[in-house]
Amino acid sequence: HVQLVESGGGSVQAGGSLKLSCKVSGLTYNRYVLGWFRQAPGKEREGVATIDSDGVTDHAGSVKDRFTVSEDRAENTLYLQMNALKPEDTAMYYCAADRRYGIRKVLASTVLSFPDSGQGTQVTVS
């Protein structure tokens, strides 16, 4: 049973930075993929970034060059470093996990289909 707990959200001014964390437990797959998605009020969920067990990453076009996904395996923690934040980045951010299938890079958009996700952490940019 995979458990994911997000933290690190908050309020920040446009142009600022935040670093989200996601503590992962119960992940037993040898090959896996972790990711982040977000949902703003009144908008559809959006895949933000993925990182697989080989360290291959993908970022949505809307956040590329501003956000960076990473993983600390020793700490079983997933991160999302967010720089140059914009008001349109305001959303609830969730981390998610899935087994890694195949060999192709796992696109950020596919994180929406991952079976396990956390409760989310709010990011507000003004």
Side-chain angles (χ1 to χ4, degrees):
H1 176 61
V2 181
Q3 290 187 311
L4 305 111
V5 180
E6 302 92 340
S7 62
S11 297
V12 64
Q13 290 188 334
S17 299
L18 279 175
K19 187 173 185 177
L20 306 184
S21 301
C22 173
K23 191 70 172 178
V24 183
S25 61
L27 192 65
T28 60
Y29 311 131
N30 287 331
R31 300 179 71 234
Y32 59 85
V33 58
L34 303 172
W36 292 92
F37 67 93
R38 64 187 181 184
Q39 185 162 29
K43 295 186 178 181
E44 294 188 356
R45 295 183 305 164
E46 178 188 15
V48 174
T50 53
I51 182 168
D52 69 23
S53 46
D54 293 325
V56 178
T57 64
D58 188 58
H59 297 79
S62 60
V63 306
K64 200 163 289 185
D65 298 328
R66 299 189 298 123
F67 291 11
T68 303
V69 63
S70 62
E71 180 194 12
D72 184 334
R73 294 191 184 186
E75 295 294 327
N76 294 320
T77 302
L78 175 72
Y79 297 103
L80 185 67
Q81 176 67 50
M82 306 186 295
N83 299 327
L85 282 160
K86 304 176 181 179
E88 50 263 44
D89 294 319
T90 295
M92 187 72 82
Y93 283 72
Y94 303 85
C95 59
D98 196 5
R99 185 190 298 268
R100 175 84 165 91
Y101 299 96
I103 60 174
R104 292 193 175 197
K105 182 165 70 173
V106 181
L107 298 180
S109 58
T110 66
V111 73
L112 301 180
S113 65
F114 289 7
D116 298 297
S117 61
Q119 295 300 308
T121 186
Q122 178 68 38
V123 172
T124 302
V125 185
S126 59

